[in-house]
Amino acid sequence: MKAFFDERQLGHAPSFYFRRGAAMPHQEQPQRAEILRDMLLREGFEVAAPQDHGLDPIKAIHNPDYVDFLPDAHARFVESAGEDALAIPTMHPGRRRGKEPADIHGQLGWWMTDTSTPLTEGSWDAAYWSAQTAIEAAEEILSGERAAYALCRPPGHHAMRDCSNGFCFFNNACIAANYLRQKFNKVALIDIDVHTGNGSLDILYERGDIFFCSLHPDPANYPTFYLGHADETGEGEGAGKSLNILLEMGADEAAVLEALDRGIAAISDFGAEALVVSLGFDMAADDPLAGVAVHAKGFGQMADRLAAMSLPTVLVQEGGYLGPSLDDNAQSFLTSFRAALK
């Protein structure tokens, strides 16, 4: 199982963001990807840089105007606000009546939902190559490989069609799932990050060709809030093609594995021909953003269950922050998945 990663993904280096009204160190640091990359090399995975597949696969998922806003947004912000200011939105249009303004500060509020995606000098390159990493992994599947791992950083599953959200700029998993539709009629995306895959739900909610399932605590009381409730099952052609499986706060491995089995059964009923996994190691009990309590052995069991589906699979990295067990959890999942392929 080949892995993909581009060193330019380390260029997004936000120093802080606001959480519950307080400024705090940003959780989504380049070191996350370095830990995962170094584990892959230590465990004998081949790690390759992705090719450049351009903007078309990204714009197939995201509003093209949103995509075009990002490349020079940081430079324009610095020109207006200065080097010491934090490139975050400080005003918002409410529930999206109105039009995109020309001013950079208004544009930040138009295209960005919160303070967790501050733009830095390297943010565009990092987000772009994170998406290319997911596309390259999907290309590996289209070429006939059974599985591939995309070490995507920054992550993607909170990014909606036309806005950044929750550390995420481009929805790498949705981009990969849509890319797989070139070959597969039915694709499933299962999100095992501890947070709701709210961006994926937003993007896929009316699609009947990509089944979406997310395991997460109740968004009524746990970030990212707003989306991911049990009664949100899709609309139009997507009716019945979205499944949110709610976990109790602090749920143990047995409860998480039971929920995963429910998701796998639903994907089987859908008749999926290929699979994308939004892989979040923030399910870990000691993750800084922990909501449930999975340990290294449990991540290995999750990998075994997903590999046993015997579907062509793209693993797309989402969360998993700088907790003590990040290396161990990633090693357990990825080596277990690789072993199950043999």
Side-chain angles (χ1 to χ4, degrees):
M1 181 173 71
K2 186 183 287 188
F4 296 96
F5 177 69
D6 192 288
E7 296 293 326
R8 283 168 284 194
Q9 293 171 239
L10 302 175
H12 175 62
S15 57
F16 70 95
Y17 71 121
F18 293 91
R19 187 178 178 201
R20 297 183 177 179
M24 59 182 58
H26 204 290
Q27 300 284 351
E28 209 287 283
Q29 289 298 310
Q31 187 183 355
R32 299 176 54 239
E34 293 173 330
I35 289 171
L36 298 176
R37 176 202 62 197
D38 292 349
M39 181 280 297
L40 292 167
L41 295 172
R42 187 183 70 237
E43 294 297 325
F45 286 88
E46 179 183 354
V47 181
Q51 299 182 59
D52 189 345
H53 298 274
L55 288 173
D56 286 350
I58 300 173
K59 290 184 175 182
I61 287 298
H62 290 286
N63 182 329
D65 291 338
Y66 166 62
V67 178
D68 291 340
F69 153 74
L70 287 168
D72 66 348
H74 177 260
R76 293 174 57 217
F77 177 85
V78 169
E79 182 180 0
S80 172
E83 294 278 357
D84 295 332
L86 184 65
I88 59 172
T90 53
M91 54 195 74
H92 291 278
R95 295 185 180 273
R96 279 303 176 98
R97 293 185 184 276
K99 298 179 180 179
E100 179 193 3
D103 181 85
I104 182 60
H105 302 279
Q107 287 179 331
L108 288 174
W110 185 259
W111 297 120
M112 305 169 75
T113 62
D114 59 23
T115 71
S116 75
T117 53
L119 295 170
T120 70
E121 185 176 0
S123 295
W124 165 253
D125 279 347
Y128 180 83
W129 286 102
S130 186
Q132 299 304 319
T133 294
I135 297 165
E136 187 70 19
E139 184 67 38
E140 186 84 347
I141 300 306
L142 294 181
S143 71
E145 295 298 321
R146 166 71 168 77
Y149 170 57
L151 205 183
C152 291
R153 189 271 159 185
H157 71 143
H158 299 312
M160 301 183 188
R161 181 178 182 272
D162 58 1
C163 56
S164 65
N165 177 255
F167 304 165
C168 303
F169 294 95
F170 293 143
N171 197 306
N172 305 308
C174 283
I175 292 168
N178 188 66
Y179 200 79
L180 291 176
R181 283 285 289 108
Q182 297 176 69
K183 180 176 180 179
F184 302 101
N185 291 322
K186 289 186 173 183
V187 176
L189 170 51
I190 187 165
D191 190 314
I192 58 172
D193 183 283
V194 74
H195 301 95
T196 309
N198 58 316
S200 303
L201 187 66
D202 172 67
I203 290 167
L204 301 176
Y205 205 62
E206 296 181 8
R207 288 188 64 159
D209 56 341
I210 302 177
F211 184 90
F212 177 67
C213 174
S214 180
L215 283 56
H216 52 264
D218 191 340
N221 298 299
Y222 188 71
T224 55
F225 305 122
Y226 310 121
L227 291 176
H229 299 275
D231 61 354
E232 294 167 355
T233 59
E235 293 179 352
E237 292 182 5
K241 303 301 190 300
S242 292
L243 175 64
N244 295 293
I245 302 177
L246 303 191
L247 302 168
E248 296 291 334
M249 285 296 295
D252 61 13
E253 287 177 359
V256 172
L257 289 169
E258 181 181 2
L260 178 61
D261 287 340
R262 286 178 56 197
I264 289 172
I267 290 170
S268 178
D269 289 343
F270 172 68
E273 301 166 7
L275 180 69
V276 176
V277 179
S278 275
L279 176 57
F281 297 123
D282 49 4
M283 282 264 190
D286 62 2
D287 188 89
L289 301 180
V292 301
V294 178
H295 301 274
K297 182 180 179 181
F299 282 107
Q301 292 173 316
M302 295 173 81
D304 290 341
R305 283 165 160 78
L306 290 166
M309 298 176 71
S310 298
L311 293 174
T313 301
V314 178
L315 304 171
V316 176
Q317 189 61 51
E318 302 288 1
Y321 301 97
L322 295 177
S325 68
L326 176 59
D327 185 298
D328 291 341
N329 297 331
Q331 177 185 352
S332 178
F333 185 98
L334 291 167
T335 58
S336 295
F337 199 97
R338 179 177 62 180
L341 299 176
K342 297 179 181 178

